[in-house]
Amino acid sequence: MTHQNRFGMFVHWGIYALTGVQEQVFARMDMDRDQYEALAKRFDPQKFDPDKWVLLARDAGMEYVCFTAKHHDGFCMWDTAYSDYKITNTPYGKDVLKMLADSCARHGMKLSVYYSCPDWHHPFGFNPASSHQWKALSDNGTDPDKYLSYVRDQVRELCSNYGPLYTFFWDIPPKIDDPSLNELIRSLQPGIFINDRGYSKGDFSTPERDYTPASGVEAFTRMTEACNSVGEQSWGYRKNEDFFTLRYLTGSIDRMMARGASYLLNVGPDASGKIPEEYASRIRRVGDWYKRMEGALCCHEEDKFDYGVKGGVPIVTRKDGKTYFHFPDGLCSSAFSLRRFPCLPRSVRLLNTGKELSFAYEPLPEFFSEGRAKPYLHITGIPSDELASEAIVIEVIWR
Ligand code: GLC
């Protein structure tokens, strides 16, 4: 088993949702501590229905949900025995992680947890070696061992009380090497995948918001899980979010998944517990595209044949003897052409529409050498303008 080519929903949810600004509003907007921590006394997400979240993800073709059990603010979204700064001490009073875990189990979805190494609430959470820090909270300065024992206790709870966990998502590398934490996770959750932002190396790398059109066509050499949010300014709920275009999101997902990565697409539920429609609709629309790809994003084998492509720089993958040409950034015309190919195709199909495309092996006047048009496998009739808002994937079945 590898953590490869899985599509999942990232969920950033905490008391910060009440501000409608960003999950790190406390530090980034320099809020007063008492004012921030008092949000816990108002957190009462009466509309939280974990089934709605889980089914939104499942209907989009996703296989797992990764939930922020504890973000940098240190607020715990489960009923931890090691802190009072937790969901069961809010007016809502229920263990939302448990509710989400039960819902995932009911709907056949996997559950992952996110846990922040920085902690702006714990008296010994301050770690000057790492980033995303607030300030030392204790008069005694720092005591990494006390904080690490808190982390260990909480990890034990998370890995013992919420059923099988699929991945463990540490955040913000603490720059402290303590392999015993990942070992503890593995001893309680055999088969789990752990990311590379924790206290030792972990299993997979985590490029974040990392999408530059036209970059990188090679397969990843290490297990990778890319992540991005549906909006640009925040991971947690933001009232005036700058939402990404469908073109950008599908391009990013295609470019990462075609190269073998898993992909977490994030939403920020609001303080009522709902995933607001602006967020949910983007998951649905991306999911609609994703399902039309018919699993072509899950063929992680790189096709290294030298096709000599004209008309774009596709990522080329293979699965069951079929070849997939991925154009995450779309096509610049209604055709593309291959100078070389193993044999003539039996069929060429545009996965976005499910329709067959025409092809011919013919000389193309603009592609010439020594003054003569060279023959190309010319694949035509692609409605590239109509598909301008999504990544384009074309399947070729050879004879
Ligand atoms: C960044 C953000 C953090 C978010 C994380 C998700 O590290 O600073 O708030 O939780 O990305 O990967």
Side-chain angles (χ1 to χ4, degrees):
M1 259 282 282
T2 62
H3 177 42
Q4 197 164 33
N5 287 137
R6 306 279 175 177
F7 189 28
M9 188 164 81
F10 213 168
V11 181
H12 275 65
W13 197 42
I15 55 174
Y16 44 76
L18 278 164
T19 69
V21 178
Q22 210 251 9
E23 76 284 355
Q24 296 179 40
V25 56
F26 173 47
R28 295 198 181 179
M29 300 297 178
D30 208 9
M31 271 178 87
D32 173 71
R33 170 172 298 279
D34 292 340
Q35 197 193 339
Y36 184 80
E37 298 194 344
L39 294 173
K41 303 206 172 65
R42 289 201 284 126
F43 196 65
D44 191 14
Q46 287 299 332
K47 300 212 167 114
F48 173 52
D49 178 351
D51 288 347
K52 291 223 167 92
W53 296 11
V54 169
L55 292 176
L56 174 71
R58 201 187 68 176
D59 291 347
M62 294 171 165
E63 294 175 80
Y64 66 116
V65 175
C66 181
F67 181 65
T68 48
K70 187 193 82 168
H71 206 266
H72 312 339
D73 62 359
F75 187 81
C76 303
M77 297 295 277
W78 77 103
D79 189 22
T80 175
Y82 301 98
S83 172
D84 292 333
Y85 195 44
K86 59 176 175 180
I87 186 71
T88 43
N89 284 339
T90 62
Y92 191 61
K94 292 186 238 171
D95 184 334
V96 294
L97 179 61
K98 180 83 181 82
M99 293 163 75
L100 185 61
D102 290 347
S103 175
C104 283
R106 273 198 299 281
H107 298 295
M109 289 282 278
K110 302 190 222 301
L111 176 70
S112 296
V113 293
Y114 165 109
Y115 187 94
S116 166
C117 301
D119 190 313
W120 301 332
H121 180 82
H122 190 279
F124 296 107
F126 183 58
N127 172 4
S130 164
S131 68
H132 294 68
Q133 301 298 309
W134 194 221
K135 25 186 114 121
L137 279 174
S138 164
D139 295 340
N140 305 327
T142 62
D143 188 337
D145 288 343
K146 282 209 180 105
Y147 180 59
L148 276 180
S149 105
Y150 174 70
V151 172
R152 190 166 289 112
D153 286 337
Q154 292 207 316
V155 161
R156 194 176 300 107
E157 281 182 333
L158 290 170
C159 293
S160 306
N161 302 340
Y162 298 90
L165 297 182
Y166 176 53
T167 63
F168 197 97
F169 195 116
W170 296 105
D171 198 16
I172 312 295
K175 308 218 169 110
I176 295 173
D177 194 40
D178 183 351
S180 73
L181 278 156
N182 282 359
E183 283 160 19
L184 173 66
I185 297 175
R186 291 188 207 287
S187 73
L188 296 167
Q189 293 280 342
I192 196 168
F193 298 103
I194 306 175
N195 80 353
D196 63 350
R197 299 186 189 178
Y199 294 84
S200 52
K201 198 161 154 252
D203 306 312
F204 61 89
S205 31
T206 48
E208 176 184 303
R209 293 205 184 277
D210 174 26
Y211 168 58
T212 314
S215 73
V217 294
E218 334 55 45
F220 289 108
T221 50
R222 189 177 188 227
M223 231 196 284
T224 298
E225 178 190 75
C227 58
N228 206 341
S229 193
V230 295
E232 192 171 22
Q233 298 300 331
S234 180
W235 297 77
Y237 169 64
R238 178 166 172 79
K239 231 179 288 158
N240 301 310
E241 182 55 290
D242 303 333
F243 288 102
F244 285 122
T245 60
L246 214 55
R247 136 104 287 140
Y248 177 90
L249 291 174
T250 59
S252 168
I253 295 165
D254 187 34
R255 185 172 296 283
M256 294 294 178
M257 292 192 78
R259 297 162 67 205
S262 292
Y263 199 101
L264 275 176
L265 183 60
N266 176 77
V267 293
D270 65 19
S272 79
K274 286 205 326 213
I275 297 176
E277 187 51 28
E278 312 92 278
Y279 290 78
S281 62
R282 279 159 175 98
I283 296 288
R284 274 188 230 111
R285 289 169 71 192
V286 166
D288 169 63
W289 165 83
Y290 181 78
K291 287 188 285 186
R292 279 182 278 128
M293 297 299 112
E294 296 176 12
L297 300 184
C298 300
C299 46
H300 44 254
E301 196 193 327
E302 187 176 354
D303 185 335
K304 292 197 170 146
F305 189 89
D306 178 14
Y307 289 97
V309 180
K310 292 271 194 193
V313 185
I315 301 168
V316 192
T317 59
R318 289 176 73 85
K319 185 183 193 175
D320 305 331
K322 300 173 193 164
T323 296
Y324 295 89
F325 293 89
H326 298 252
F327 295 92
D329 311 314
L331 276 154
C332 57
S333 81
S334 55
F336 79 105
S337 309
L338 308 180
R339 180 73 185 95
R340 293 171 289 274
F341 43 92
C343 56
L344 279 170
R346 179 141 51 92
S347 76
V348 179
R349 206 160 55 94
L350 175 62
L351 293 186
N352 300 65
T353 59
K355 297 220 170 91
E356 298 274 331
L357 293 172
S358 310
F359 59 87
Y361 185 49
E362 57 189 358
L364 295 177
E366 278 298 328
F367 303 156
F368 61 93
S369 64
E370 290 156 8
R372 298 177 69 116
K374 288 282 166 203
Y376 275 77
L377 178 63
H378 190 204
I379 296 169
T380 56
I382 306 167
S384 304
D385 271 333
E386 286 75 2
L387 298 174
S389 65
E390 36 185 69
I392 293 176
V393 182
I394 290 160
E395 175 194 76
V396 177
I397 304 180
W398 307 106
R399 269 187 215 212

